[in-house]
Structure formats: structure tokens, C-alpha cells
Amino acid sequence: MTTVAATALSGVIPPVCTPLTSDFEVDVPSLERLVDFLIDSGVSGLFALGSTSEVAFLPDAQRRTVLETIVRHAAGRVPVIAGIIDMTTLRVIEHAKVAAEAGVDALVATAPFYTRTHPVEIEDHFRRVAAATSLPLYAYDVPVSVHSRLDAAMLLRLGAEGVLAGLKDSTGDDNGLRCLLVARDDAGLAQFRVFTGSELTVDSAYRMGVDGVVPGLGNVDPAGYVRIAQLCTDGKWDEARLEQERLLRLFDLVNAAPADRMGRGSSALGAFKTGLHLRGVIASPLAAPPQIPLNEAETAHVRTRLEAAGLL
Amino acid sequence: MTTVAATALSGVIPPVCTPLTSDFEVDVPSLERLVDFLIDSGVSGLFALGSTSEVAFLPDAQRRTVLETIVRHAAGRVPVIAGIIDMTTLRVIEHAKVAAEAGVDALVATAPFYTRTHPVEIEDHFRRVAAATSLPLYAYDVPVSVHSRLDAAMLLRLGAEGVLAGLKDSTGDDNGLRCLLVARDDAGLAQFRVFTGSELTVDSAYRMGVDGVVPGLGNVDPAGYVRIAQLCTDGKWDEARLEQERLLRLFDLVNAAPADRMGRGSSALGAFKTGLHLRGVIASPLAAPPQIPLNEAETAHVRTRLEAAGLL
Amino acid sequence: MTTVAATALSGVIPPVCTPLTSDFEVDVPSLERLVDFLIDSGVSGLFALGSTSEVAFLPDAQRRTVLETIVRHAAGRVPVIAGIIDMTTLRVIEHAKVAAEAGVDALVATAPFYTRTHPVEIEDHFRRVAAATSLPLYAYDVPVSVHSRLDAAMLLRLGAEGVLAGLKDSTGDDNGLRCLLVARDDAGLAQFRVFTGSELTVDSAYRMGVDGVVPGLGNVDPAGYVRIAQLCTDGKWDEARLEQERLLRLFDLVNAAPADRMGRGSSALGAFKTGLHLRGVIASPLAAPPQIPLNEAETAHVRTRLEAAGLL
Amino acid sequence: MTTVAATALSGVIPPVCTPLTSDFEVDVPSLERLVDFLIDSGVSGLFALGSTSEVAFLPDAQRRTVLETIVRHAAGRVPVIAGIIDMTTLRVIEHAKVAAEAGVDALVATAPFYTRTHPVEIEDHFRRVAAATSLPLYAYDVPVSVHSRLDAAMLLRLGAEGVLAGLKDSTGDDNGLRCLLVARDDAGLAQFRVFTGSELTVDSAYRMGVDGVVPGLGNVDPAGYVRIAQLCTDGKWDEARLEQERLLRLFDLVNAAPADRMGRGSSALGAFKTGLHLRGVIASPLAAPPQIPLNEAETAHVRTRLEAAGLL
């Protein structure tokens, strides 16, 4: 639980799934097993309450339980970063306080959403959130959820001023990511840490200069992501590519359910949790409502992908 | 506080602005004055914690204060409807419980947001929220905020089953609104109440068959909206048009600030609150962060529009 | 073929469908019958080569044949307005020249598309197109096709300068339409003619001050649209509403095909042409590729709607 | 001009800019110089009438002149691929015929645009276009222009059937690109050639398995793109990264003009043509209307970037 570690994060930091009981409470024993599973696989940190953690689905009490469980059970083995995802500044600051009380090492916030926002307001938002906490603050660029983009110049300005410690990039826009990375390096801002949220371009992202990866699929195969990150760090690019392509084929488990049965979010998250369930890590694949549970055929699709990836 | 009234709502139900103090607490005396101002102007109900109420900006404690203040101060003179706006089902249900405890008469919920959702999930969402409360539940179709649309057939199906009491339509799509209204009438579902959220087409919407209007601008000129609703009810369409056009010219106050200074949400909400401040109803025009306050020139723009509309 | 008429257009101006032969040539006899059918029903003008005319699907030779056929066969009975729809300025100007040679009375152009455009460029585009022709030029605001909106202030500026003769509004945004109409009237620009492209809110649009309507469904039931326009002009609003609701129910024919079978454009256009075929006006319902033809069940859906509307 | 070459394309195939005279005719001598400049720099082919060629801005006569000039002047030194960009099938087929007459080696077509389209229609579109020509046909996935995406399974199905020879991917979505490439290789479809349209991730794309790159910036610095493609082919990844980062910094010339002066398309294309003008290749940087010309300060911005990249 060192702030030093949290301000120099790198490597694989999976967004930790939130196992649930049948009445949608946090399944604490399963979450503890998941924390061990991830740390034992060699991850560098744990991102609690990210999108893949169903942060948007969890009431505040469950959010608090998640943070307290992960911090307590990680017990300083790796830093814990907490998503403080909410619509606007004052609500985000409330989550920041809860997360700090729970003992996390760093925070992750998005731009405002639901409201129609503006670059000037987004910058002010990050400044206010950072001013309200002593923890390092990471920006989370996730247009599929918040429907706006973070401006690269703004990010680096806030990085240079010490307002932001870094970025989780879930834009899927590797051109933009690379422009940011080159601009960061040209500005001598190596302390501004950049993570890709893409499961499928880890080797590319490392070649561009990212500090690490935050892969949702890293719940199901953390060892794979630890392996590819190490191969990238060691400059073994051909092996990294092969590992990435194995993970890409595994990623197809997110297409378990057809588009007329449920949303892509339900299908992906259901597949991750089903994967964890089939691998014996969590007790139930249940996701929070109104997500649709995978049926038998969809579960079989996940199993097939796990087997092909050598995970069952 | 009669459920009967809340299930047969009609007329003008403004989304009540939330006056704030300089430290972003609810300014209770100002909110009480605003409640009186609106009721004295003849509105049919009060919509607390709507988008114009800055629901997305208020922490839960402030949300609760707003509901308790409005319910207590309205004191049964008109029904109070509460927005229970949050990302997904379980969080929305928590707000529903708080609102019920505060004594509101009906609830308003959107589709899930932040998460990628799906029609099947949206329908399940409304069913679960309705099942968790004994209060009438209205759906709120506001794609500019939630980035999805509500399906008309789904709405009427839930209306027929008693899951939904009605709809607030803030789509700006009068073609879709009319299709819904004709389908509703063809299905004999008059009990499914439909309100337009558009400030600028009240007379058109009434001619199409809506039951009422939820106008953000109705904070600034509630008497104007009560007047136009009455003219529509009385079939005085030419006078209604003139009143609507007066209100449309007043509505230009939302363009107080230029687009490079702030978002359109900040400009509009800042203008509404400035209007209420200039009219002496609330103590301060301050809006919650990260919204940008109107400057002197922008405030003068609002004043000019109020004067032209005969409101100062 | 009087320019005077074309600069003071009003009433019902349907976008004329383009009947095709089995090898996708213009079916001239069918087109002539359609011209007669529309004029005999009392329309005020003919809009050739609009979106409903499949302008995006017709090669230039077929476009020219359409214009020559309609101008020749209309023979001055009503003005003919030609869509000059293409991606950017120089291409649009080429179409303008062909249309002028064909003897049309006015032109209709959209903003640039395919390219990423900008308000400054859109304004320059209209200025250049207008400068290249002596015919009146109407702007066509159709964001579903061109993926940008026309700015109201720009439209009125070009109207005041005589660059634009008016607007066809196919935005579906009746709030924006009303703001434009009030601004137009406040500026004393009655010569700037405004038409709605919406089939479902004709009475509303007339109450807001439009000069007329350009209804795709007006191919199938031109008499209905002529009737509602006359009722609006006569101030018989209750009868207008009933007529509009009848047309709205008829409009459901556009939902003939399910969303997994074809696009909404194919379904709507196929339904219009099937309606014209079933009413005996055109020889074949065929639409240009890659639109999908309606199958037997979908054709039956159209027939049912025609029968319910009293058109078969 | 060998079809064999065109069906096994690889390497750098820049979308050739179209130099214009002051009256917007094709500047043939400048275009010939540009063809020589590109071929002498070592490019593998020439993509005429792509988006960067202003295909959306050129009337058909100019399009034809471009093709005839490039085919004649390339004189078989490298294959020439022609964009046949238009709204829908029949119009695209007309362009295909003109291009075949001009002697090009392959064709490039997008999905339908302007019209609302559908996956079933897009597939039928490519089948019909391919059936109407004996030239190899490449699909062009460019959602920023056509506002729809091409489905990977559809692309590979058409590739396996010989309908499509390959893809130009301008989606900016490297996750999707990689899924396509892995699926292609898993299906043993190496003959389905895949090119990235991104200027900034050439090395990443090569590592993922693309066959080449179609860089707009390749007009200004073709030698740079030839160099990076060779480095990638030779597996010299570290040098490739440095070259890519040099090109990325050069790419900043597209930001010459501020967003309130012109669109991003005008700024980028104006910068490319200004670059070619400053490098002495073409006589004038003029672009077709309604694009806005760069002013003196914006031209200086381009010059600075060229100097920094060692190109002046």
C-alpha cells in the first residue's frame, strides 16, 4: 500500500471482476479467491471497481465492500487502484473519500457523463477531484461509456502539473494513443503513466511505449497477460505476438451470446465471469441486473474457448 | 401526496431547479421559495431531481435533502415526482427507496447508461425497478443523456401491464412521440400518461394528445407554461401559439454563453438559475461543478431576455 | 415553368418516386402516370430526384431521364424542383447544369457529405452552387444522410442575401424547425420558404408557420396530403388532426420488412413503390440495388395498410 | 498493368493527391511529376481517386483525367488502383467501367453511403460491383466517410469466394484489424490482402500481419513510408519504430489550421498539398471547393514540420 508504487505503476493491472451471490451481494470468499488467483499469477496491481468490475451496477455499499475486501486481502502484496466512477464532480469526490478510507493506493476517474459536458469542464472536473484527495489520480478515457474523449494536450498539461498521475486508455484508438505517448516522451513526462485497456494489442501498445495494460480478459487468463507483458519488456516480440494471438482467439468468448439475446456488455462480462466460474475461481457466474445471464449453449461456447486456450 | 393524483398526472410539472449555497449544499430557504413560486403559478406537480434539477451533480445526501424539502414544503398542495437517476437497476432501486421514504408520489427512471445496454435489458430494468416499489413509475426517454432510445412497443406493453404509469419524452422527436400517442390511444391506454419535455412545442404536443409538459424553462416562467397548457386545454390554439412563441423567444436565454466558453448544459442551466436569481426567487445562480458560472455579459444576456418577455 | 412560381412555392410537393424497369432503367410510362396521378391529386409542385426518388441510386443518365420526363410531362402544370444531390460543390454544380438544361424551376442541394465538412465550408458550398446557376436554390437539411446539420443563422443569412430561396427540413427536429420559423418571421423573411419533410407532423408544422410539406408518403396518398394542407390553410385543425392520424397509421407500411432482413431505407422505399404498384400507378415495385425487394408477406403488409386507409 | 500484380499487392500504395489548376481542372504536369516522385521513392503501387485524392470533390471528367494520366504516366512501372467511390451500386459500377477503360489494375469501393444501408445490402453491393468488372475489387472500410462498418466475417466470406481481393482498413480500429488478420490467417486466406490506411501505426500493423499501407502522408514523404515498410519486412523493429515516430511528428502538419477556421479534412488535405508544393512537386496547393485554403501562418506551420522532418 505504498503511494510510491501507485505513482509508478506498470505491468498488468486487471480490472477485478466482482463475484456476486444470488441476491446480488458481493461474494466475499469468491472475491478473495480471485484476488489470490490474480496476484499468484503475477499481476502488478489490482484495479477494483472498473467497468469490468460492474462498477456501474453496484450500489455504494457493495462498492465499499469490494474495496475493503480487496485492500484487506491483497494486504500490500500489490497496489490497489479504485475506480471512482460517477456522473459528475461532487459524486466522484464522495467515492474518492470512501476509497481513501478503504486504503486504496490510487484512484481512477472518467470525464463527467449523463450531462452534456465540455473540455473546459472536463479539465476543471479532474482538477477538483485531484484537489479533494491526496491519492494519485488516473484519468480513464472510455468514450463507449461516457460519450466524450479526453484531449491529449489537457492530459499532459495535468500530468505536468501533478494533477494526474496517468491514464487508462480504453478508446480503442491506437493512433491517438501513440500521439499521446510520443508527446509525453517529447515533454519528458515519463512519470505520467499510460495504460492501454485493450486486450488485443498489448504487444503493439508496449512497442509504442505504454507502461502497462488493464485487460478485462486478464481475469480469466492473468498468467497469459503477465507472460505477454514480460515478453514485451524482454523485447521478445515474436513470442509476444504469438501469445497475443492466443489471447485474441480466447477473447472470442465475449461473443458467446447473439446480438438479439443481449447487449455486448452482458455477453462479454457474462463470459468473463463464466470463465472464472469454469476455472473454479468464483462460485457463480451471475452478473448484476439488468444484464442477461448466459444460457447453456452460451456457457458451452465459453468452455470451448477456454479449452482451446489451454485453460481447462 | 395521493397516489391517485400521481397516477393521473397532467398539466405543467416543471423539473424543479436545485438552488445551491456557495459550498454546494442545498439552499433550503431558496428551494422553499421556488416551490411556492411554482405552486403559486399554478403548476400541477413538481418533478424533483430531474436533469434540470442537476440530479447528475448532486451527491446522495443533497438528493435526499431536496426530496425532503420539496415534499415537506409542497405539503400535499401538488404531487411530487422524484427522479431516481442512476446508471443501472440496483443503484436506481436504492434511490427509489430513499424517495419513497421521503414521501414522494411517483418515480421517474431512465434506461441504464454508462454500460452498453440492450432493449431486452432495458425492459427488464423497468420491470425490476417497478417491482421494487409501490409507487407509480414513469419512464424517462432522454437519449442526449443515456445514449439509447426507449422502444414505443415496449413502453405500451409495460403500460398495459401496469409496470409503467407513463413517459416523459425528452427525445425532441415529435414524429416518434406522435406515433406513440396514436398507438396508445388505439390500444385504449389513456391511463398511460405521456409528457413532453420540450419547452418549444407545447401546443403541438397537446394537439397530438400529450397529458402535459415538463419544461425546464418552466422554472423561470411557470405562469407562462400554465397559461399555454390552459389555452391548449381550452382549444384556444391561436392564443396558445402566440404564448408558445413568446416562450420560445425567452428560451433564447439558454444561449447566454458561447460554445467555446462552456457546454450547452452549463449555459442552459446557468441561464435558468440566473433567471430565477434575477427574478428574486433564489439567492444565488450557482450551479454544481464542473459547470461554468455565467459571467457578467452572459448574465446581461439573460436579463435582456427576461425583460423582453415581461418577466422583470 | 415559371421562376416566379418556384420562388414562392407552397403546399404539397412530393418527392417523386422513380419507377424502374427490370434492368434498372427509368420506366418512363410509369413515371408519366405517376406525374399525372400526383398533379391530378392537386399537389403544388413535384420534387424530382429527392431521397425518396432514389437519387442516391440513379446513375447520371437515369437522373437526366427522370428530369426530362417529369418536366416534359408536367408541361408547366406545376413547378418542378430538382435535387442536385452529390458529395461536394463541383459535382453538385454539374448536376445543377443538367437540371437547368432539363428545364426545371428550382434546385435543392444538401451540405457536402462523405468528406468531413465544417460550417464555414457548408456556407461557402451553398454560395458557390447558387452563383453557378440562375435558378432558385433550396437547402436540404437531412442529417440522416449527410451526417451534419445546417445552422439556422446561416440559412437566414443566405436567405436574406438571396443566395437561398428556402429550406427543406428533414431533421425530424421540430424544436429547431420552430426556432428557425420564428427567427425567419422576426427577420421579415417571408420569402424564405420553409418545407417540412416529415410525413407525420404536417398539421403541427403548418401551425408553426411552414409553407408546405415534402412527404415521401405523398406518392402513395397525394390526395391525403393535399387534403390536410388545405385543412391547415383553412384553419380546420381538428379535421387536420384526424387526417394526419389517418396518414400516420398508413405510414406504418414502411415497417413492412423486419430489421434483420433489410435496412429501414429499403423497407420504406420498397413500401412506397409497392403501394404505388398496388394502386395501379406504376408497373413494378422494383427499387435500385442494393436495396432488398419486399417479399410476399411484406407486400401483404403494405396491402393491409392501404386497405385500412381506404386506398384500395 | 498486370492483374497478377494487382491481386498480390503489398507494400506502400499512397492515395495520390490530385493537383489542381486555379480553375479546378486537373494539373496534368503536376500530377505527372507527383507520379514520378512517388515511383522514384519506391512505392509499390498508386491508389488513384482515394479520399486523399479528393475523389469526393472531383467531377467525373476530372476523375477520368486523373486515371488516364496516372495509368499513362506510370506506364506499368507499378500497378494503379482506382477508387470508384460513389453512393450506391449502379453509380459505383459506372465508375468501375470508366476505370477499366482507363486501364487500371484494380478497384476500390466503399459500402453504400448517403442512404441508410444494412449488412445484407452491403454484401449484395460488393457482389454486384465485382460481378460487373473483371478487375480485382478491394473493399474500403472508412466509417468516418460512409458512417457504417464492414463486417469481418462478410469480408472473409467474400474473400474466400473470390469476390473481394482484399481490404483497405481506414477504421482506426486496430483491435478490429487484428481480429480480421488472425481470422484471415486461420482461414488460410493469404490471398485476401489487407492494407492499413493509418499513417501512425505502420509498424504495429505490419507486426499484426498486414500486407501494406495506404498512407495519405505518403504523398509528402513517400521515401519515409517505403523505408519503414522495408524495415518492417526486414524485422528491424526498433528502427521501424524510430522512423514511425519521425513520421508521426511530421503528421502534425495536418493540424495546420485551427478548428474554427475550417474542417479537419480541409486542414489535412491542405497540409498535404502544401507539403507537396513546398517540396517542389506540384505547382499549387489549391484544393477543390468548398475546402478552405491554408493561409500564410498555416503554410508556415507546414513548412516548420517539413524542416523538422528533414524534408526541406
Side-chain angles (χ1 to χ4, degrees), chain A residues 230-312:
Chain A
Q230 191 60 50
L231 290 168
C232 291
T233 304
D234 295 346
K236 297 180 176 171
W237 298 110
D238 290 344
E239 292 170 67
R241 177 180 171 178
L242 291 176
E243 182 64 15
Q244 179 63 83
E245 294 186 353
R246 186 187 66 81
L247 289 163
L248 183 148
R249 291 186 183 91
L250 172 62
F251 189 72
D252 180 58
L253 53 76
V254 304
N255 299 313
D260 59 352
R261 267 261 303 154
M262 65 182 73
R264 295 303 83 199
S266 276
S267 181
L269 189 66
F272 291 163
K273 287 188 133 178
T274 297
L276 283 170
H277 177 60
L278 292 172
R279 297 199 72 188
V281 180
I282 67 176
S284 162
L286 191 67
Q291 294 171 100
I292 310 293
L294 300 194
N295 62 23
E296 210 169 312
E298 293 155 359
T299 299
H301 172 96
V302 175
R303 184 181 290 111
T304 307
R305 293 303 175 282
L306 291 177
E307 288 169 349
L311 298 177
L312 275 190

Side-chain angles (χ1 to χ4, degrees), chain C residues 4-195:
Chain C
V4 172
T7 54
L9 293 173
S10 66
V12 179
I13 305 178
V16 185
C17 279
T18 305
L20 297 178
T21 65
S22 59
D23 53 353
F24 304 123
E25 294 296 331
V26 179
D27 174 355
V28 170
S30 284
L31 181 52
E32 290 175 346
R33 279 197 301 276
L34 177 54
V35 165
D36 286 339
F37 175 65
L38 296 172
I39 295 178
D40 293 349
S41 300
V43 302
S44 305
L46 298 172
F47 176 27
L49 300 182
S51 300
T52 302
S53 316
E54 295 174 83
V55 66
F57 295 87
L58 301 177
D60 286 355
Q62 280 94 317
R63 285 191 180 198
R64 184 189 291 262
T65 301
V66 165
L67 293 183
E68 290 173 349
T69 302
I70 293 182
V71 168
R72 183 183 67 241
H73 201 72
R77 289 179 284 173
V78 295
V80 177
I81 300 93
I84 50 174
I85 310 302
D86 215 316
M87 293 173 249
T88 60
T89 314
L90 298 181
R91 293 182 66 85
V92 170
I93 288 173
E94 301 251 318
H95 294 296
K97 287 178 181 159
V98 171
E101 284 166 19
V104 306
D105 300 285
L107 303 173
V108 178
T110 69
F113 55 94
Y114 185 87
T115 185
R116 291 173 291 167
T117 192
H118 186 277
V120 172
E121 294 161 6
I122 294 172
E123 179 162 351
D124 187 50
H125 170 73
F126 284 120
R127 288 186 185 279
R128 286 178 184 266
V129 173
T133 180
S134 58
L135 290 172
L137 177 66
Y138 288 79
Y140 184 8
D141 199 3
V142 58
V144 72
S145 292
V146 308
H147 302 279
S148 69
R149 282 288 298 271
L150 300 181
D151 178 67
M154 182 270 287
L155 287 170
L156 295 179
R157 183 164 59 243
L158 295 185
E161 294 182 27
V163 174
L164 289 177
L167 169 73
K168 181 193 169 191
D169 178 275
S170 292
T171 62
D173 170 16
D174 278 358
N175 290 278
L177 175 60
R178 191 166 213 168
C179 289
L180 176 80
L181 287 164
V182 170
R184 175 192 74 167
D185 293 346
D186 287 351
L189 278 172
Q191 74 274 24
F192 184 84
R193 294 300 172 120
V194 178
F195 291 80

Side-chain angles (χ1 to χ4, degrees), chain B:
Chain B
M1 283 182 289
T2 67
T3 297
V4 172
T7 54
L9 292 173
S10 65
V12 178
I13 304 179
V16 184
C17 279
T18 305
L20 296 176
T21 66
S22 60
D23 54 353
F24 304 124
E25 294 296 333
V26 179
D27 175 355
V28 170
S30 284
L31 181 53
E32 291 176 345
R33 280 198 301 277
L34 177 53
V35 166
D36 287 338
F37 175 66
L38 296 172
I39 295 177
D40 293 349
S41 299
V43 302
S44 307
L46 298 172
F47 177 27
L49 299 183
S51 300
T52 302
S53 316
E54 295 174 81
V55 67
F57 296 88
L58 300 177
D60 287 354
Q62 280 94 319
R63 285 191 180 198
R64 184 188 291 262
T65 301
V66 165
L67 293 183
E68 290 173 349
T69 302
I70 293 181
V71 168
R72 184 183 63 240
H73 202 73
R77 288 179 286 172
V78 296
V80 177
I81 300 94
I84 49 173
I85 310 301
D86 215 314
M87 294 173 247
T88 60
T89 312
L90 298 181
R91 293 181 66 85
V92 170
I93 288 173
E94 301 252 318
H95 294 295
K97 287 177 182 159
V98 171
E101 284 165 20
V104 307
D105 301 285
L107 304 172
V108 178
T110 68
F113 54 93
Y114 185 88
T115 184
R116 290 173 292 165
T117 193
H118 185 278
V120 171
E121 294 161 6
I122 294 172
E123 179 163 351
D124 186 50
H125 171 72
F126 283 120
R127 288 186 186 280
R128 285 177 184 267
V129 174
T133 180
S134 59
L135 290 172
L137 177 65
Y138 288 79
Y140 184 8
D141 199 3
V142 58
V144 72
S145 291
V146 308
H147 302 280
S148 69
R149 282 288 296 271
L150 300 181
D151 178 67
M154 182 271 286
L155 288 169
L156 295 179
R157 183 165 57 242
L158 295 185
E161 295 182 27
V163 174
L164 289 177
L167 170 73
K168 181 193 170 191
D169 178 274
S170 292
T171 62
D173 170 15
D174 278 357
N175 289 278
L177 176 59
R178 192 166 213 168
C179 289
L180 177 79
L181 287 164
V182 170
R184 176 192 72 168
D185 293 346
D186 287 352
L189 278 172
Q191 74 273 25
F192 185 83
R193 295 300 172 121
V194 179
F195 292 79
T196 179
S198 167
E199 281 98 344
L200 306 182
T201 55
V202 177
D203 52 345
S204 308
Y206 263 94
R207 288 198 59 80
M208 292 177 188
V210 296
D211 298 288
V213 58
V214 183
L217 184 63
N219 283 278
V220 180
D221 191 5
Y225 281 96
V226 169
R227 193 152 50 235
I228 189 176
Q230 190 61 50
L231 289 168
C232 291
T233 305
D234 295 347
K236 297 180 176 171
W237 299 110
D238 290 343
E239 291 170 69
R241 175 179 174 177
L242 291 176
E243 183 64 15
Q244 179 63 84
E245 293 185 353
R246 187 187 65 80
L247 289 163
L248 183 148
R249 290 185 184 91
L250 172 62
F251 189 72
D252 179 58
L253 52 76
V254 304
N255 299 314
D260 59 352
R261 268 261 302 155
M262 66 183 72
R264 294 303 83 200
S266 276
S267 181
L269 188 67
F272 291 162
K273 287 187 133 177
T274 297
L276 283 170
H277 178 59
L278 292 173
R279 298 199 71 186
V281 180
I282 68 176
S284 162
L286 192 67
Q291 295 171 99
I292 310 292
L294 300 194
N295 63 24
E296 211 168 311
E298 293 155 0
T299 300
H301 172 97
V302 175
R303 184 181 288 109
T304 308
R305 293 304 176 282
L306 291 177
E307 287 169 351
L311 298 178
L312 275 189

Side-chain angles (χ1 to χ4, degrees), chain A residues 43-59:
Chain A
V43 303
S44 307
L46 297 172
F47 177 27
L49 300 183
S51 301
T52 302
S53 317
E54 295 175 81
V55 67
F57 296 87
L58 300 177

Side-chain angles (χ1 to χ4, degrees), chain A residues 172-175 178-179 182 186 198 200-201 203-204 207-209 237-238 241 244-245 248-249, chain D residues 172-175 178-179 182 186 198 200-201 203-204 207-209 237-238 241 244-245 248-249:
Chain A
D173 171 15
D174 279 358
N175 290 278
R178 192 166 212 166
C179 289
V182 170
D186 287 352
S198 166
L200 307 183
T201 55
D203 52 345
S204 309
R207 287 198 60 80
M208 292 177 187
W237 298 110
D238 290 344
R241 177 180 171 178
Q244 179 63 83
E245 294 186 353
L248 183 148
R249 291 186 183 91
Chain D
D173 171 14
D174 278 358
N175 290 280
R178 191 166 213 167
C179 289
V182 170
D186 287 352
S198 166
L200 306 182
T201 54
D203 51 347
S204 308
R207 286 198 60 81
M208 292 177 188
W237 298 110
D238 290 343
R241 176 178 171 177
Q244 179 63 83
E245 294 186 354
L248 183 148
R249 291 186 184 91

Side-chain angles (χ1 to χ4, degrees), chain D residues 277-299:
Chain D
H277 177 59
L278 292 172
R279 297 200 71 187
V281 180
I282 68 175
S284 162
L286 191 68
Q291 293 170 101
I292 310 292
L294 300 194
N295 63 24
E296 211 168 311
E298 293 155 0
T299 299

